[in-house]
PDB file of all heavy atoms in Angstrom:
ATOM      1  N   GLN A   1       0.833  -1.201   0.000  1.00  0.00           N
ATOM      2  CA  GLN A   1       0.000   0.000   0.000  1.00  0.00           C
ATOM      3  C   GLN A   1       0.870   1.255   0.000  1.00  0.00           C
ATOM      4  O   GLN A   1       2.051   1.214   0.356  1.00  0.00           O
ATOM      5  CB  GLN A   1      -0.908   0.018   1.233  1.00  0.00           C
ATOM      6  CG  GLN A   1      -1.807  -1.197   1.374  1.00  0.00           C
ATOM      7  CD  GLN A   1      -2.830  -1.291   0.259  1.00  0.00           C
ATOM      8  OE1 GLN A   1      -3.411  -0.280  -0.160  1.00  0.00           O
ATOM      9  NE2 GLN A   1      -3.041  -2.489  -0.242  1.00  0.00           N
ATOM     10  N   GLN A   2       0.242   2.374  -0.385  1.00  0.00           N
ATOM     11  CA  GLN A   2       0.939   3.648  -0.307  1.00  0.00           C
ATOM     12  C   GLN A   2       0.939   4.159   1.130  1.00  0.00           C
ATOM     13  O   GLN A   2       0.076   3.810   1.932  1.00  0.00           O
ATOM     14  CB  GLN A   2       0.262   4.670  -1.227  1.00  0.00           C
ATOM     15  CG  GLN A   2       0.452   4.401  -2.705  1.00  0.00           C
ATOM     16  CD  GLN A   2      -0.051   5.541  -3.571  1.00  0.00           C
ATOM     17  OE1 GLN A   2      -0.935   6.296  -3.179  1.00  0.00           O
ATOM     18  NE2 GLN A   2       0.517   5.668  -4.756  1.00  0.00           N
ATOM     19  N   ARG A   3       1.918   4.990   1.409  1.00  0.00           N
ATOM     20  CA  ARG A   3       1.959   5.630   2.717  1.00  0.00           C
ATOM     21  C   ARG A   3       0.763   6.576   2.830  1.00  0.00           C
ATOM     22  O   ARG A   3       0.465   7.328   1.903  1.00  0.00           O
ATOM     23  CB  ARG A   3       3.264   6.394   2.905  1.00  0.00           C
ATOM     24  CG  ARG A   3       3.510   6.891   4.322  1.00  0.00           C
ATOM     25  CD  ARG A   3       4.909   7.476   4.467  1.00  0.00           C
ATOM     26  NE  ARG A   3       5.946   6.474   4.222  1.00  0.00           N
ATOM     27  CZ  ARG A   3       7.235   6.707   4.442  1.00  0.00           C
ATOM     28  NH1 ARG A   3       7.641   7.879   4.916  1.00  0.00           N
ATOM     29  NH2 ARG A   3       8.131   5.769   4.179  1.00  0.00           N
ATOM     30  N   GLU A   4       0.098   6.565   3.989  1.00  0.00           N
ATOM     31  CA  GLU A   4      -1.094   7.373   4.173  1.00  0.00           C
ATOM     32  C   GLU A   4      -1.036   8.128   5.496  1.00  0.00           C
ATOM     33  O   GLU A   4      -0.431   7.662   6.468  1.00  0.00           O
ATOM     34  CB  GLU A   4      -2.358   6.503   4.139  1.00  0.00           C
ATOM     35  CG  GLU A   4      -2.450   5.464   5.245  1.00  0.00           C
ATOM     36  CD  GLU A   4      -3.726   4.650   5.201  1.00  0.00           C
ATOM     37  OE1 GLU A   4      -4.499   4.768   4.226  1.00  0.00           O
ATOM     38  OE2 GLU A   4      -3.955   3.889   6.172  1.00  0.00           O
ATOM     39  N   LEU A   5      -1.722   9.254   5.492  1.00  0.00           N
ATOM     40  CA  LEU A   5      -1.796  10.062   6.704  1.00  0.00           C
ATOM     41  C   LEU A   5      -2.645   9.350   7.753  1.00  0.00           C
ATOM     42  O   LEU A   5      -3.694   8.801   7.448  1.00  0.00           O
ATOM     43  CB  LEU A   5      -2.421  11.419   6.389  1.00  0.00           C
ATOM     44  CG  LEU A   5      -2.764  12.291   7.584  1.00  0.00           C
ATOM     45  CD1 LEU A   5      -1.491  12.799   8.244  1.00  0.00           C
ATOM     46  CD2 LEU A   5      -3.654  13.445   7.160  1.00  0.00           C
ATOM     47  N   VAL A   6      -2.165   9.397   8.998  1.00  0.00           N
ATOM     48  CA  VAL A   6      -2.949   8.909  10.129  1.00  0.00           C
ATOM     49  C   VAL A   6      -3.476  10.085  10.936  1.00  0.00           C
ATOM     50  O   VAL A   6      -4.674  10.198  11.192  1.00  0.00           O
ATOM     51  CB  VAL A   6      -2.108   7.990  11.034  1.00  0.00           C
ATOM     52  CG1 VAL A   6      -2.908   7.577  12.268  1.00  0.00           C
ATOM     53  CG2 VAL A   6      -1.622   6.769  10.269  1.00  0.00           C
ATOM     54  N   ALA A   7      -2.562  10.972  11.332  1.00  0.00           N
ATOM     55  CA  ALA A   7      -2.953  12.121  12.151  1.00  0.00           C
ATOM     56  C   ALA A   7      -1.901  13.199  12.033  1.00  0.00           C
ATOM     57  O   ALA A   7      -0.714  12.896  11.834  1.00  0.00           O
ATOM     58  CB  ALA A   7      -3.122  11.713  13.612  1.00  0.00           C
ATOM     59  N   ARG A   8      -2.322  14.449  12.183  1.00  0.00           N
ATOM     60  CA  ARG A   8      -1.399  15.569  12.174  1.00  0.00           C
ATOM     61  C   ARG A   8      -1.745  16.503  13.327  1.00  0.00           C
ATOM     62  O   ARG A   8      -2.906  16.576  13.775  1.00  0.00           O
ATOM     63  CB  ARG A   8      -1.463  16.347  10.867  1.00  0.00           C
ATOM     64  CG  ARG A   8      -0.954  15.583   9.667  1.00  0.00           C
ATOM     65  CD  ARG A   8      -0.506  16.524   8.542  1.00  0.00           C
ATOM     66  NE  ARG A   8       0.615  17.352   8.917  1.00  0.00           N
ATOM     67  CZ  ARG A   8       1.894  16.966   8.883  1.00  0.00           C
ATOM     68  NH1 ARG A   8       2.200  15.739   8.484  1.00  0.00           N
ATOM     69  NH2 ARG A   8       2.853  17.792   9.220  1.00  0.00           N
ATOM     70  N   ILE A   9      -0.724  17.212  13.790  1.00  0.00           N
ATOM     71  CA  ILE A   9      -0.920  18.233  14.815  1.00  0.00           C
ATOM     72  C   ILE A   9      -0.031  19.409  14.466  1.00  0.00           C
ATOM     73  O   ILE A   9       1.168  19.252  14.222  1.00  0.00           O
ATOM     74  CB  ILE A   9      -0.639  17.666  16.235  1.00  0.00           C
ATOM     75  CG1 ILE A   9      -0.941  18.715  17.299  1.00  0.00           C
ATOM     76  CG2 ILE A   9       0.774  17.111  16.368  1.00  0.00           C
ATOM     77  CD1 ILE A   9      -1.020  18.131  18.708  1.00  0.00           C
ATOM     78  N   THR A  10      -0.630  20.586  14.448  1.00  0.00           N
ATOM     79  CA  THR A  10       0.110  21.770  14.038  1.00  0.00           C
ATOM     80  C   THR A  10       0.927  22.338  15.194  1.00  0.00           C
ATOM     81  O   THR A  10       0.830  21.878  16.341  1.00  0.00           O
ATOM     82  CB  THR A  10      -0.847  22.848  13.536  1.00  0.00           C
ATOM     83  OG1 THR A  10      -1.618  23.340  14.651  1.00  0.00           O
ATOM     84  CG2 THR A  10      -1.773  22.315  12.460  1.00  0.00           C
ATOM     85  N   THR A  11       1.706  23.370  14.877  1.00  0.00           N
ATOM     86  CA  THR A  11       2.471  24.030  15.927  1.00  0.00           C
ATOM     87  C   THR A  11       1.551  24.622  16.991  1.00  0.00           C
ATOM     88  O   THR A  11       1.933  24.724  18.160  1.00  0.00           O
ATOM     89  CB  THR A  11       3.343  25.135  15.334  1.00  0.00           C
ATOM     90  OG1 THR A  11       2.513  26.046  14.599  1.00  0.00           O
ATOM     91  CG2 THR A  11       4.398  24.566  14.392  1.00  0.00           C
ATOM     92  N   GLY A  12       0.346  24.979  16.603  1.00  0.00           N
ATOM     93  CA  GLY A  12      -0.614  25.555  17.540  1.00  0.00           C
ATOM     94  C   GLY A  12      -1.468  24.539  18.259  1.00  0.00           C
ATOM     95  O   GLY A  12      -2.306  24.908  19.093  1.00  0.00           O
ATOM     96  N   GLY A  13      -1.294  23.267  17.929  1.00  0.00           N
ATOM     97  CA  GLY A  13      -2.035  22.213  18.616  1.00  0.00           C
ATOM     98  C   GLY A  13      -3.308  21.763  17.928  1.00  0.00           C
ATOM     99  O   GLY A  13      -4.027  20.891  18.450  1.00  0.00           O
ATOM    100  N   SER A  14      -3.607  22.311  16.743  1.00  0.00           N
ATOM    101  CA  SER A  14      -4.774  21.833  15.995  1.00  0.00           C
ATOM    102  C   SER A  14      -4.485  20.455  15.423  1.00  0.00           C
ATOM    103  O   SER A  14      -3.369  20.186  14.969  1.00  0.00           O
ATOM    104  CB  SER A  14      -5.109  22.802  14.870  1.00  0.00           C
ATOM    105  OG  SER A  14      -5.461  24.059  15.377  1.00  0.00           O
ATOM    106  N   THR A  15      -5.503  19.608  15.429  1.00  0.00           N
ATOM    107  CA  THR A  15      -5.312  18.230  14.995  1.00  0.00           C
ATOM    108  C   THR A  15      -6.277  17.861  13.871  1.00  0.00           C
ATOM    109  O   THR A  15      -7.353  18.460  13.733  1.00  0.00           O
ATOM    110  CB  THR A  15      -5.535  17.244  16.152  1.00  0.00           C
ATOM    111  OG1 THR A  15      -6.863  17.417  16.674  1.00  0.00           O
ATOM    112  CG2 THR A  15      -4.528  17.471  17.261  1.00  0.00           C
ATOM    113  N   ASN A  16      -5.865  16.905  13.065  1.00  0.00           N
ATOM    114  CA  ASN A  16      -6.796  16.287  12.132  1.00  0.00           C
ATOM    115  C   ASN A  16      -6.413  14.818  11.987  1.00  0.00           C
ATOM    116  O   ASN A  16      -5.247  14.438  12.171  1.00  0.00           O
ATOM    117  CB  ASN A  16      -6.836  16.984  10.772  1.00  0.00           C
ATOM    118  CG  ASN A  16      -5.565  16.860   9.985  1.00  0.00           C
ATOM    119  OD1 ASN A  16      -4.583  17.521  10.281  1.00  0.00           O
ATOM    120  ND2 ASN A  16      -5.564  16.015   8.970  1.00  0.00           N
ATOM    121  N   TYR A  17      -7.412  14.008  11.703  1.00  0.00           N
ATOM    122  CA  TYR A  17      -7.263  12.553  11.681  1.00  0.00           C
ATOM    123  C   TYR A  17      -7.854  11.970  10.408  1.00  0.00           C
ATOM    124  O   TYR A  17      -8.834  12.475   9.864  1.00  0.00           O
ATOM    125  CB  TYR A  17      -7.986  11.927  12.881  1.00  0.00           C
ATOM    126  CG  TYR A  17      -7.452  12.340  14.222  1.00  0.00           C
ATOM    127  CD1 TYR A  17      -7.960  13.450  14.880  1.00  0.00           C
ATOM    128  CD2 TYR A  17      -6.433  11.616  14.820  1.00  0.00           C
ATOM    129  CE1 TYR A  17      -7.452  13.844  16.110  1.00  0.00           C
ATOM    130  CE2 TYR A  17      -5.927  11.990  16.054  1.00  0.00           C
ATOM    131  CZ  TYR A  17      -6.437  13.100  16.697  1.00  0.00           C
ATOM    132  OH  TYR A  17      -5.935  13.480  17.913  1.00  0.00           O
ATOM    133  N   ALA A  18      -7.245  10.883   9.968  1.00  0.00           N
ATOM    134  CA  ALA A  18      -7.842  10.124   8.880  1.00  0.00           C
ATOM    135  C   ALA A  18      -9.132   9.481   9.377  1.00  0.00           C
ATOM    136  O   ALA A  18      -9.235   9.091  10.550  1.00  0.00           O
ATOM    137  CB  ALA A  18      -6.873   9.056   8.402  1.00  0.00           C
ATOM    138  N   ASP A  19     -10.112   9.361   8.489  1.00  0.00           N
ATOM    139  CA  ASP A  19     -11.416   8.836   8.900  1.00  0.00           C
ATOM    140  C   ASP A  19     -11.337   7.471   9.593  1.00  0.00           C
ATOM    141  O   ASP A  19     -12.046   7.233  10.578  1.00  0.00           O
ATOM    142  CB  ASP A  19     -12.351   8.758   7.692  1.00  0.00           C
ATOM    143  CG  ASP A  19     -12.870  10.123   7.267  1.00  0.00           C
ATOM    144  OD1 ASP A  19     -12.770  11.067   8.065  1.00  0.00           O
ATOM    145  OD2 ASP A  19     -13.358  10.241   6.124  1.00  0.00           O
ATOM    146  N   PRO A  20     -10.495   6.540   9.112  1.00  0.00           N
ATOM    147  CA  PRO A  20     -10.485   5.203   9.747  1.00  0.00           C
ATOM    148  C   PRO A  20     -10.043   5.185  11.202  1.00  0.00           C
ATOM    149  O   PRO A  20     -10.288   4.202  11.906  1.00  0.00           O
ATOM    150  CB  PRO A  20      -9.500   4.408   8.880  1.00  0.00           C
ATOM    151  CG  PRO A  20      -9.486   5.104   7.570  1.00  0.00           C
ATOM    152  CD  PRO A  20      -9.640   6.561   7.912  1.00  0.00           C
ATOM    153  N   VAL A  21      -9.380   6.262  11.655  1.00  0.00           N
ATOM    154  CA  VAL A  21      -8.856   6.248  13.026  1.00  0.00           C
ATOM    155  C   VAL A  21      -9.556   7.229  13.941  1.00  0.00           C
ATOM    156  O   VAL A  21      -9.263   7.268  15.138  1.00  0.00           O
ATOM    157  CB  VAL A  21      -7.333   6.506  13.044  1.00  0.00           C
ATOM    158  CG1 VAL A  21      -6.613   5.559  12.079  1.00  0.00           C
ATOM    159  CG2 VAL A  21      -6.991   7.953  12.732  1.00  0.00           C
ATOM    160  N   LYS A  22     -10.474   8.009  13.411  1.00  0.00           N
ATOM    161  CA  LYS A  22     -11.174   9.000  14.235  1.00  0.00           C
ATOM    162  C   LYS A  22     -11.899   8.318  15.390  1.00  0.00           C
ATOM    163  O   LYS A  22     -12.567   7.301  15.203  1.00  0.00           O
ATOM    164  CB  LYS A  22     -12.161   9.779  13.377  1.00  0.00           C
ATOM    165  CG  LYS A  22     -11.521  10.835  12.499  1.00  0.00           C
ATOM    166  CD  LYS A  22     -12.568  11.591  11.687  1.00  0.00           C
ATOM    167  CE  LYS A  22     -11.920  12.654  10.815  1.00  0.00           C
ATOM    168  NZ  LYS A  22     -12.915  13.360   9.959  1.00  0.00           N
ATOM    169  N   GLY A  23     -11.741   8.896  16.553  1.00  0.00           N
ATOM    170  CA  GLY A  23     -12.372   8.340  17.749  1.00  0.00           C
ATOM    171  C   GLY A  23     -11.579   7.239  18.413  1.00  0.00           C
ATOM    172  O   GLY A  23     -11.915   6.818  19.531  1.00  0.00           O
ATOM    173  N   ARG A  24     -10.526   6.746  17.765  1.00  0.00           N
ATOM    174  CA  ARG A  24      -9.707   5.672  18.342  1.00  0.00           C
ATOM    175  C   ARG A  24      -8.273   6.127  18.620  1.00  0.00           C
ATOM    176  O   ARG A  24      -7.651   5.659  19.571  1.00  0.00           O
ATOM    177  CB  ARG A  24      -9.672   4.470  17.393  1.00  0.00           C
ATOM    178  CG  ARG A  24     -11.026   3.867  17.093  1.00  0.00           C
ATOM    179  CD  ARG A  24     -10.894   2.561  16.312  1.00  0.00           C
ATOM    180  NE  ARG A  24     -10.275   2.744  15.004  1.00  0.00           N
ATOM    181  CZ  ARG A  24      -9.174   2.119  14.593  1.00  0.00           C
ATOM    182  NH1 ARG A  24      -8.559   1.265  15.388  1.00  0.00           N
ATOM    183  NH2 ARG A  24      -8.701   2.327  13.370  1.00  0.00           N
ATOM    184  N   PHE A  25      -7.754   7.004  17.789  1.00  0.00           N
ATOM    185  CA  PHE A  25      -6.368   7.468  17.914  1.00  0.00           C
ATOM    186  C   PHE A  25      -6.355   8.920  18.390  1.00  0.00           C
ATOM    187  O   PHE A  25      -7.224   9.707  18.025  1.00  0.00           O
ATOM    188  CB  PHE A  25      -5.646   7.383  16.577  1.00  0.00           C
ATOM    189  CG  PHE A  25      -5.356   5.994  16.081  1.00  0.00           C
ATOM    190  CD1 PHE A  25      -5.920   4.870  16.664  1.00  0.00           C
ATOM    191  CD2 PHE A  25      -4.516   5.806  14.991  1.00  0.00           C
ATOM    192  CE1 PHE A  25      -5.659   3.595  16.192  1.00  0.00           C
ATOM    193  CE2 PHE A  25      -4.234   4.541  14.506  1.00  0.00           C
ATOM    194  CZ  PHE A  25      -4.816   3.442  15.101  1.00  0.00           C
ATOM    195  N   THR A  26      -5.317   9.259  19.154  1.00  0.00           N
ATOM    196  CA  THR A  26      -5.135  10.630  19.612  1.00  0.00           C
ATOM    197  C   THR A  26      -3.675  11.028  19.460  1.00  0.00           C
ATOM    198  O   THR A  26      -2.785  10.318  19.959  1.00  0.00           O
ATOM    199  CB  THR A  26      -5.547  10.779  21.086  1.00  0.00           C
ATOM    200  OG1 THR A  26      -6.907  10.367  21.249  1.00  0.00           O
ATOM    201  CG2 THR A  26      -5.396  12.229  21.537  1.00  0.00           C
ATOM    202  N   VAL A  27      -3.447  12.149  18.791  1.00  0.00           N
ATOM    203  CA  VAL A  27      -2.097  12.672  18.623  1.00  0.00           C
ATOM    204  C   VAL A  27      -1.896  13.828  19.609  1.00  0.00           C
ATOM    205  O   VAL A  27      -2.818  14.625  19.843  1.00  0.00           O
ATOM    206  CB  VAL A  27      -1.845  13.126  17.168  1.00  0.00           C
ATOM    207  CG1 VAL A  27      -2.795  14.235  16.747  1.00  0.00           C
ATOM    208  CG2 VAL A  27      -0.389  13.535  16.964  1.00  0.00           C
ATOM    209  N   SER A  28      -0.705  13.906  20.194  1.00  0.00           N
ATOM    210  CA  SER A  28      -0.406  14.971  21.151  1.00  0.00           C
ATOM    211  C   SER A  28       1.069  15.335  21.067  1.00  0.00           C
ATOM    212  O   SER A  28       1.895  14.541  20.605  1.00  0.00           O
ATOM    213  CB  SER A  28      -0.770  14.538  22.573  1.00  0.00           C
ATOM    214  OG  SER A  28      -0.014  13.407  22.970  1.00  0.00           O
ATOM    215  N   ARG A  29       1.374  16.540  21.550  1.00  0.00           N
ATOM    216  CA  ARG A  29       2.746  17.022  21.495  1.00  0.00           C
ATOM    217  C   ARG A  29       3.062  17.895  22.712  1.00  0.00           C
ATOM    218  O   ARG A  29       2.933  19.113  22.670  1.00  0.00           O
ATOM    219  CB  ARG A  29       3.001  17.785  20.199  1.00  0.00           C
ATOM    220  CG  ARG A  29       2.123  19.004  19.985  1.00  0.00           C
ATOM    221  CD  ARG A  29       2.450  19.700  18.636  1.00  0.00           C
ATOM    222  NE  ARG A  29       3.814  20.162  18.577  1.00  0.00           N
ATOM    223  CZ  ARG A  29       4.409  20.575  17.455  1.00  0.00           C
ATOM    224  NH1 ARG A  29       3.729  20.559  16.318  1.00  0.00           N
ATOM    225  NH2 ARG A  29       5.649  20.992  17.474  1.00  0.00           N
TER     226      ARG A  29
END
């Protein structure tokens, strides 16, 4: 498979998640 986005978090702490992992995964920094 191709590499795919799971989750991102910006310098300001905003996050976004791929649909398959929403509600199950949490990214933090």
Side-chain angles (χ1 to χ4, degrees):
Q1 303 295 320
Q2 290 189 334
R3 190 172 298 188
E4 63 179 8
L5 171 70
V6 176
R8 292 203 64 82
I9 184 166
T10 69
T11 56
S14 297
T15 58
N16 67 285
Y17 298 90
D19 285 343
V21 308
K22 283 181 180 177
R24 300 188 297 123
F25 290 12
T26 303
V27 61
S28 62
R29 60 181 299 168

